[in-house]
Every structure is written in C-alpha cells, then in structure tokens.
Amino acid sequence: MSETAQPARRRTRGGGGAARRAERTAVRFETAPAIRRRIPDLEILDEEALEIIERNAETVLEEIGVNFVDNPGALELWREAGADVRGERVHIPRGLARSLCATAPSQFTQVARDRNKDVEIGGRNLVLAPVYGPPFVRDSEGGRRYATMADFEKFVKLGYMSKWLHHSGGTVCEPTDVPVNKRHLDMLFAHMTLSDKAFMGSVTEPSRAQDSVDMCEVLFGAHFVQQNTCMTSLININSPLTFDSVMMGALEVFARNNQASIISPFIVGGAMAPVSVAGTLAQVLAEVMAGVAYSQLVRKGAPVIFGAFVTSIDMNSGAPTFGTPEAAQITYGAGQLARRLGLPYRSAGSFCGSKLPDAQAAYETANSLNTGLLSGVNFMLHACGWLEGGLVASPEKFVLDADQLGALHHMARGVEMDENAQAMDALREVGPGGHFLGCAHTQANFKTAFWRSEVFDYKPFETWSEEGARDSATLAAVRVDKLLSDYRQPEMDPATHEALRDFVARRKIEIDGRSG
Amino acid sequence: MSETAQPARRRTRGGGGAARRAERTAVRFETAPAIRRRIPDLEILDEEALEIIERNAETVLEEIGVNFVDNPGALELWREAGADVRGERVHIPRGLARSLCATAPSQFTQVARDRNKDVEIGGRNLVLAPVYGPPFVRDSEGGRRYATMADFEKFVKLGYMSKWLHHSGGTVCEPTDVPVNKRHLDMLFAHMTLSDKAFMGSVTEPSRAQDSVDMCEVLFGAHFVQQNTCMTSLININSPLTFDSVMMGALEVFARNNQASIISPFIVGGAMAPVSVAGTLAQVLAEVMAGVAYSQLVRKGAPVIFGAFVTSIDMNSGAPTFGTPEAAQITYGAGQLARRLGLPYRSAGSFCGSKLPDAQAAYETANSLNTGLLSGVNFMLHACGWLEGGLVASPEKFVLDADQLGALHHMARGVEMDENAQAMDALREVGPGGHFLGCAHTQANFKTAFWRSEVFDYKPFETWSEEGARDSATLAAVRVDKLLSDYRQPEMDPATHEALRDFVARRKIEIDGRSG
C-alpha cells in the first residue's frame, strides 16, 4: 500500500512530534464493532410466497417497465443490455435484471478515517448510522425550528461519541443556513474533521456527488479512493418505478468511482405502492433490481445495497405512520428477498411519527429497531434521532435511540453456552432458597452480564422524586449536554485539515461564480 | 349440556322481557379473537444448546433438588412418585419430572362468561391479559398513591373495553382499602360482574383459591366448573428452587378442581438465578418441570402453563431492569423449552422500570411485547398497564399498551398472498410515476389494510400545536376518560348477580368471625 493509500489517521502517526503528542493526550471514545449477528433472522415468508413475489417483480419489470427520466445515457445502456426501451420506459425482460445484479458484491468494506472503525456491510453484520434528512430540529431548549450548520455539527459530535453507532451518516439534518448548492461541502467537512467514523456522500446533484469523491481523495488520497469504498450514499428511487436523473446522476458518479450506493425505494404504502404487503414487496423488489442492475451497467462490481424505506399510511389523515405491523412485515419480507438476491440490505431505523420524544415516539421506534435487527438488516440508516416522520432531528431522541442500539448489540450476541455461562457451579453453590448476588459466579461475571442503559432512570422512586422526578426526555437532555461538553475532536494531520478547508473554500467560490 | 352448565350470558337469553330488552339496547364492545400466529417463532437456541440446558435442568433436579416447604402432603406424593425426599428437599431422578409433565394438556380452553370470549391457551395462540399485582396506582390526576377498589374497578372496565385484550386478568392492582383477607372476594366480584371476559383466581391462601372456585360455581354452575376451566391463576415459584406451601396450596385447590395454573419462576437475574442466560434457563426449566410435575401428581391432566417471569438487574443499583436484551434471550429460549415440553407458555408483558409513561417506559415495554409475540408466548400476563417495575399500575400506560397490542394482532396475521393481496392490477393501473391513493385496489382495501393507533397523534404539526401540543401521556389520559364514560356494564342474569353478592357478603362475615 503506497503512502497516499494510507488513510489520514495512519499518516498522522508518521507526522511530527506535536501530532504524536496530540495523539497521546487525545481523549478516546469507544466505538463497538459492527453487530455480528449470532441469532437467526425471522423469516415470515415461506418459499411459495417468495417465489410468487419474485415472479410478480419480474412481471412488473417486463410488462409495466420502469422510467429512467431525462437520462438518454441510461436508456442507451439498457438498450445495449437487451432491454426493450420505448421512450423513457424501460421494459426489462424476465431474468435480465436479476442476472445483472449478480455482479454486485454481497459484502463490502467501507473504510473510515480511523481504520479501526472500518465497517463491513453485508453478511451477518449490522452497521448503524444516524438520522438522515430532517429540515427541522427540536431540542428541549429551542423547541422546533429550522436546522442550522451548528445543529449539524452537534449531531456529528453526538454520533462520534456514541459507542453503539458505527457510522457518522450523511445529512444528519439539513443545515438550512447554508445555501443548498454549497451546504454539501460544509457537511462533508464536518463529517471528515469532527468524526473519524465512516460517512456518506452528497446525492442532491451529480456535481455534488463528484465533490464528495474529490473531498475523499483529499482525505484518503486519490489512488486509495479508487481502490476502496470510502462512502456509502443514499440513492432514493422515485416510487413507483421511476428513476430520476438527479439521483441516477449521483449513482453514476459513485459507481464509476467504486463508491457504494444504497438503492432504495421510498414508499408510503397506499400512496407510492399498493396498500398490501405482498404488492408492495413485488414493487420494492422490481425497483431495487432495476436500480442495482443499472449500477452494474455503469460499473460491473460497484458496491450497492438493497434498500427498502417503507412506511404505512393513516387512511384518516393521509399521514405516514411508523413502527406499524405492516411496515414490519414488509421489512422482514424485503430482508428475505435481499438475501436471495445476494445483496446487503438496508431498512428500518428510529422511525416515529410523534412530535416529541415521548411514549409514542419510543413505541414506534422500538418496534422498528427490533424489526431491523431480526429482519437481517445490514445497514440501518436513521438508527437514531428521528422525530415527526423524519421532518425533525432531535438531540434528545438521538441519545435515547443510540442507547437502545446497545440493547440490539447485546441481543445480537446470542446465548453463550460455555461452561462459565452454564453456571452449574453457581446453582450448586446457592441451592434452594439462596441468593445469587454474592456467589462467586456472579462476582466474576456481573460487570459484563447485562446491558445497562446510560440514559434511563433505574433509581428507587424516592431518589428519583428527590432528583426532580425527571422524565426520559429531560434525562436525555442532560446526557446531550454531558456528551457535548466531553467532546474532543479526533486528531487529524494539519496538512490534510488545511487541504480540506482549501478545497471547500475554492469550490464555494467556483459555485458562487457559476451561479452569480 | 344442562341448564346450570350454561354460562350466565347464555342463560340470560332465556330470561324475562326486561333482560331481553336490556340485551338489545346494550352497547357492544368488540373483543378481537386471541391472536393466532401465522408467523414463525424466533428460535435463538440451536439443538445442541437446548440439549445442554435440558441436561443441566435434570442435573439440578436430581443433584441439587427442590424444596417443598411446610408441605408434608407434597413430600408424600413425591416419595410415592419415586423421588428421593430428604427433609423438605426433593431430589427428582433424571427423567421423572419430564415424564410426569407429559400428562398436562398442551392446549386447553378457558371459558368466559361471554362464551364468544372463551380463550384457547396453547398451540399457535396468544391470549393477552392485563397487569397483575401493583400496590400503587399512578394517574395524571392523582399522581402516585396506594391503589383502591375504585382503581381496581376502573382497570377491569378498561380491560373490558379494550378490543385487543382477551382476558380480564386477576389482581389488576391491589385494592389496599379492603383488608387482605377479604379483598379477593371483591376482586372476583368485579371481574365477574363488570366484565364478561375470562379471569384469574386468588392465590394468596388456599382458602381464597377455594373461594374463587366456589364463586365460579355460583357464576357458571357447580357441574360446569368441574368440567371446564373457568380460571387461570398465577402460581409463582419462590426462586431459586423453592415451592412454598401457600402457593402450592392454591395450586392444589385449582388442580383438584380442574382449574388452570401458570407455574412461574419469578426471577431477577443475578439475584434469584445465575447472572447468565444459559444458567437461568436451566434453573427456569428445572423449576417449571418440578412445579408442573407436582400439579400432575395432584391431578393427572390438570391444565397448567409453563411460566417464565424473568428480568435482569442493574448491578449499579440492584434494581430490576426491563425490556433488556438478556431478558429477551431468556424469553426466547424458555419458549423453545416450553414447546419441547409440550406445554403452553407464559412470559413477557408491558414490563418497564420507568416511573412515568414516558419514552423509557415505551422502549422497555415495546421490546418486551415484541419479544413476547416472537417467542411463542401463549398467555401474556401484564400485557398492559405496568409502570415502575410492577409497583405501579397506570391507566394511561394501560391504554397506551393496549393500543400496541393491536399492532401485535396485525403482525401475527402474517402476509396474505391471495390474488387481491398481490395487487398486480393496482401496479398495472398506476404504473411508473403514478399514485396509488385513488386506484381501485386501494379504495377496495384501505379500510382494513393498515393497523392504526387509537391513541397516537397522526396530525400535522400545525394542528397538533393548535390542539395544545399534547404528549402521548396526555392523549392517553383523554382516552382513559373517554373509555370510562362510554363504559356500560355487560348484562347479567339478576339472580346470578344477587347470588354472587350474597356469596361475597356471607364469606366476609365468616372471615370476620374467624379472625375476630
């Protein structure tokens, strides 16, 4: 591996005495390795159901087809691949999309600036990334308001500090105080410098995807980026069955540069897909197969993820609803379809419709997080921080959810069955009517035996009352403040930092010049 | 079936004109049938692990043994069955307990006063019953205080009104304003007259279990009770490995009278069982096998349920913790063990440690409810209403949880795969870029397509703000008031009502005479 192929942090080790001293004195924050499931997936569809859905998806692709809008290049690629292209409608012959999907890797590594935080996406792994996209922020101090770059940085810091979060994410909120055509630069700069975890690139314009690749080349080295996946970005399909040129343009940039894309239908059931689970699953599979197949037409072997963002709808109000049983069924079913297709799977998250980090939010979120774990999700975007159907990011909800992600880690470990875990000595030592708290086995194992929340209140009622009878939203606000005051920026080679800053400044001038 | 073998409601149909008129004008509240799972169970233990745990449980029974305290009759039964009894310690030879368990039914029917609400316990069914045991109540008006009979009646009414709750439960809270030696009479009277769902008997004294049987004979007819299971009651094991004479005395009364018992270890992991999942499972299995075997010594074929009440512990404070991953693993594992033993399974519930119906409560509860559904639980006690580790029952939490039980019902239905559910016509009709809201398939199916909360707020932010920006605890309080104001007592044959009232009055005088 050449020197430039080394990521920033490794290069720092070869830096001057100041850098070495900084590294020695830096506060370290632990990040757990990605969840490696030692429990089975829940498979709610039988073979017959799966075959019906797969057959229907092929029928959708062949008979109905998909639209690639404003994208003559894509239509040409499809034509060459053997599709029947009529106008912008691409009819994909039965079997073609699936066979094209076969060249996508079933698992890939996304590197992080701290190489100890590289993430393996696929297989039995589950990588957790924070909320993505909210234009608003709600916190206990300021209520609900438009998000700013200061909020964005706060979320990146909280993600960096979270033990259970493996990934820094992307648009953790929309920094509405920075113009749309430049904010991707500030967002990437924040992820690259305030955290050392893996992150996502910009997808709102092909040129911004290119900026993302270019900034990665500054951070990791140009050669390294072409040989390694340094970003996993979110490419939404315009459901039903429509692939717009902005999203496809970004996908093309990422695929050509060996960067990963989540190819993800965005479905509110009953609106963007049929009102039934089986119908939605056929559509999801058709859309993902078309999108993944296209990524492989752009570059064979480009890393991609089978995405499924699916919610149900409240037929009274038309509002999307979250953490519902129908969304769970689709999430389980799509996981089975993704595994049969041999692709990493993205779904679930801290989804909720509630406006506050209250009981509604937590029921909805817990339902979705549990579904995510048990449906075999490999990459969980939005794993913490969602409120109000994704319109709002909340720091309190962020730390409450991130805490629950620890429970997923422990659950996924499965059940130890070695002699120590069998604890027969403890059972013999204590016997009928005894107490296990003091026995040797408990003393030897209690520190690691049980997951423990770092936000919840476990105190007796009297103590809790004396301390102000605080609810969990209030306790979460306390934790947010503590984490932010403990935050220390991970060290970075000053030259790299400066190069990134220069890149951002130069591009902003270029963009202003172009739009001015 | 003889006339007296008919439950009250059927007999009412034969009553006078007034009763018929009352029935015609009575408000009806829908109760969903017990959940019949059309999704698989999650099995987290493999065959090897299950065999190890089963072997260890047999070792515990044989080598360590179990204590039957102050119960010479039980010791005699065990001796006759072939156990090695030394003092109060019963050493059960390998295989004996399991073979005795074989005579317990794998599934049984508990009848309800409204025979349409009979519940099937076992197999692929899940029966939901409310919170059991809290001495305190917390509501939005009065805060936290000792529970009274008025609170008790309120919870019975809420349970009766809940569509998703199949069972009226037992000690929905402890009515502390009635003396301990008489409150079981008032509690049973409330269940029998304020609801028409199935209920539980008293277990705090063998004589109170007998009162429960006697009251059932008044309600259902003596002959009917001996031939039908009219109560399912909660028999806790004094973990580790101890069977006290009060609980066993109640079990004996119920078993002799063909009434069902849940035989349930009560375990805070690390205190009443080893700090490890595998060790706790071996103990749980040993305890349940000993208890079920004993029930079959009392009466072969007596209906029983494999119970597992298991929580973890916060090693910092010693407080029990709920909705944790370790408790979930034990719940999943115990479900597998129960199925291998061929017994109905009781576990999970609306468990939480939080003092308020806030986010902590909801995360913890949702984790446990989901685990309950997917672990194959057949009877879920505490399915709604828990707060503060079971010290507190809360009407607001009751309706929030009961609402979530609807999500379990929908999830358990599994995925419809018929032609209508496949929705290929809808996909063809709408096509790329279209919208499903108006299509024929959506119009035909939207009413039943998605589960919808009856407590949560699905309104737009602006509407929600105008309506007072209420959190879910506040919305739940509104629902509690609405349900209680809508409540109408289910009709009952006046003669039966009077006979029950007379029974309670007579027994109270007898009890006062005995204790005075």
Side-chain angles (χ1 to χ4, degrees), chain B residues 186-201:
Chain B
D186 290 341
M187 291 195 279
L188 278 161
F189 185 78
H191 282 300
M192 290 175 174
T193 59
L194 299 179
S195 181
D196 55 15
K197 297 186 181 183
F199 53 82
M200 305 172 78

Side-chain angles (χ1 to χ4, degrees), chain A residues 304-317:
Chain A
V304 284
I305 299 176
F306 180 130
F309 177 94
V310 181
T311 79
S312 45
I313 196 169
D314 170 29
M315 285 294 182
N316 287 15
S317 66

Side-chain angles (χ1 to χ4, degrees), chain B residues 18-297:
Chain B
R20 272 198 298 275
R21 275 191 301 279
E23 188 168 30
R24 276 198 301 272
T25 57
V27 181
R28 294 277 166 203
F29 304 107
E30 191 189 354
T31 298
I35 290 174
R36 276 172 237 287
R37 288 186 182 82
R38 292 170 58 194
I39 56 171
D41 303 316
L42 183 73
E43 312 230 305
I44 68 165
L45 299 176
D46 60 20
E47 181 65 28
E48 192 191 342
L50 290 163
E51 284 173 11
I52 290 171
I53 290 165
E54 287 173 342
R55 194 161 56 238
N56 288 346
E58 296 282 3
T59 303
V60 167
L61 291 176
E62 184 169 66
E63 285 183 25
I64 303 171
V66 296
N67 282 0
F68 275 75
V69 181
D70 291 338
N71 199 340
L75 299 175
E76 189 50 39
L77 282 175
W78 276 117
R79 209 173 278 121
E80 284 168 17
D84 174 14
V85 180
R86 310 176 205 161
E88 296 194 319
R89 183 76 60 96
V90 180
H91 296 265
I92 306 172
R94 202 166 281 276
L96 175 60
R98 183 169 284 267
S99 73
L100 289 170
C101 289
T103 57
S106 60
Q107 185 168 335
F108 62 90
T109 305
Q110 181 185 353
V111 299
R113 182 153 75 87
D114 179 349
R115 294 298 303 271
N116 296 313
K117 297 178 183 170
D118 286 2
V119 288
E120 273 297 308
I121 298 174
R124 301 300 297 156
N125 301 315
L126 170 53
V127 172
L128 301 167
V131 57
Y132 187 103
F136 297 100
V137 160
R138 170 184 281 281
D139 60 27
S140 56
E141 291 160 36
R144 184 183 189 267
R145 55 188 167 70
Y146 276 104
T148 65
M149 198 59 214
D151 294 311
F152 189 98
E153 292 178 350
K154 196 183 278 189
F155 285 115
V156 173
K157 290 175 184 175
L158 290 175
Y160 171 64
M161 309 276 285
S162 165
K163 177 176 176 182
W164 307 117
L165 211 59
H166 314 108
H167 203 282
S168 194
T171 310
V172 286
C173 61
E174 283 286 351
T176 60
D177 54 344
V178 182
V180 169
N181 58 358
K182 287 179 285 191
R183 67 172 68 141
H184 64 290
L185 299 165
D186 290 341
M187 291 195 279
L188 278 161
F189 185 78
H191 282 300
M192 290 175 174
T193 59
L194 299 179
S195 181
D196 55 15
K197 297 186 181 183
F199 53 82
M200 305 172 78
S202 174
V203 298
T204 54
E205 269 275 310
S207 67
R208 295 173 200 150
Q210 188 59 54
D211 281 340
S212 308
V213 172
D214 294 346
M215 281 184 76
C216 275
E217 294 191 347
V218 176
L219 180 65
F220 290 106
H223 182 69
F224 186 85
V225 170
Q226 293 305 315
Q227 298 202 322
N228 293 276
T229 296
C230 305
M231 286 178 289
T232 297
S233 305
L234 178 61
I235 303 295
N236 277 325
I237 297 165
N238 219 329
S239 303
L241 303 171
T242 303
F243 296 78
D244 68 55
S245 59
V246 171
M247 280 289 167
M248 288 305 103
L251 169 68
E252 289 155 17
V253 170
F254 288 127
R256 280 194 208 106
N257 288 282
N258 196 35
Q259 301 305 303
S261 293
I262 305 166
I263 298 181
S264 200
F266 182 95
I267 291 175
V268 178
M272 289 88 131
V275 81
S276 65
V277 170
T280 299
L281 281 170
Q283 181 183 320
V284 164
L285 180 58
E287 291 179 343
V288 171
M289 285 205 300
V292 170
Y294 180 63
S295 75
Q296 302 303 302
L297 291 178

Side-chain angles (χ1 to χ4, degrees), chain A residues 487-499:
Chain A
Y487 173 80
R488 298 289 177 277
Q489 190 164 359
E491 80 276 5
M492 176 181 255
D493 174 19
T496 306
H497 195 275
E498 205 181 305

Side-chain angles (χ1 to χ4, degrees), chain A residues 111-287:
Chain A
V111 300
R113 182 153 76 86
D114 178 351
R115 292 299 304 271
N116 297 312
K117 297 178 184 170
D118 286 3
V119 288
E120 273 297 309
I121 298 173
R124 299 301 297 156
N125 302 314
L126 170 54
V127 172
L128 301 167
V131 58
Y132 187 104
F136 296 99
V137 160
R138 170 184 281 280
D139 59 28
S140 56
E141 291 160 35
R144 184 183 189 267
R145 54 188 166 70
Y146 276 104
T148 64
M149 197 60 215
D151 294 311
F152 188 99
E153 292 179 350
K154 195 183 278 190
F155 286 114
V156 172
K157 290 175 183 175
L158 290 174
Y160 171 65
M161 309 275 287
S162 165
K163 178 175 176 182
W164 306 118
L165 210 60
H166 313 108
H167 203 282
S168 194
T171 309
V172 285
C173 62
E174 283 286 352
T176 60
D177 54 343
V178 183
V180 170
N181 59 358
K182 286 179 285 190
R183 67 173 68 142
H184 64 290
L185 299 165
D186 290 341
M187 292 195 280
L188 278 161
F189 185 78
H191 282 300
M192 289 175 173
T193 59
L194 299 178
S195 180
D196 56 15
K197 297 186 181 182
F199 53 82
M200 305 173 79
S202 174
V203 297
T204 52
E205 269 276 309
S207 67
R208 296 173 201 151
Q210 188 59 52
D211 281 339
S212 308
V213 172
D214 293 347
M215 281 183 76
C216 275
E217 294 192 347
V218 175
L219 179 65
F220 289 106
H223 182 67
F224 185 85
V225 169
Q226 292 306 316
Q227 298 203 323
N228 292 275
T229 296
C230 305
M231 287 177 290
T232 297
S233 305
L234 177 62
I235 302 296
N236 277 324
I237 296 165
N238 219 330
S239 303
L241 303 170
T242 305
F243 297 78
D244 67 55
S245 60
V246 171
M247 281 288 168
M248 288 304 105
L251 169 68
E252 291 154 16
V253 170
F254 288 127
R256 280 194 208 106
N257 287 280
N258 196 35
Q259 302 305 304
S261 293
I262 305 165
I263 297 181
S264 201
F266 182 95
I267 290 174
V268 178
M272 290 88 132
V275 81
S276 65
V277 171
T280 300
L281 281 170
Q283 181 183 320
V284 164
L285 180 59
E287 291 179 344

Side-chain angles (χ1 to χ4, degrees), chain A residues 55-69 75 78 83-94 96-97 237-243 282-291, chain B residues 424 426-434 436:
Chain A
R55 194 162 55 237
N56 288 347
E58 296 282 2
T59 303
V60 167
L61 291 176
E62 185 170 66
E63 283 184 26
I64 304 171
V66 296
N67 281 1
F68 276 75
V69 181
L75 299 176
W78 274 117
D84 174 14
V85 180
R86 309 177 208 163
E88 295 192 320
R89 183 75 60 94
V90 180
H91 295 265
I92 307 172
R94 202 166 280 276
L96 175 60
I237 296 165
N238 219 330
S239 303
L241 303 170
T242 305
F243 297 78
Q283 181 183 320
V284 164
L285 180 59
E287 291 179 344
V288 171
M289 286 204 300
Chain B
M424 289 301 284
L427 285 158
R428 288 193 180 94
E429 180 184 340
V430 174
F436 286 85

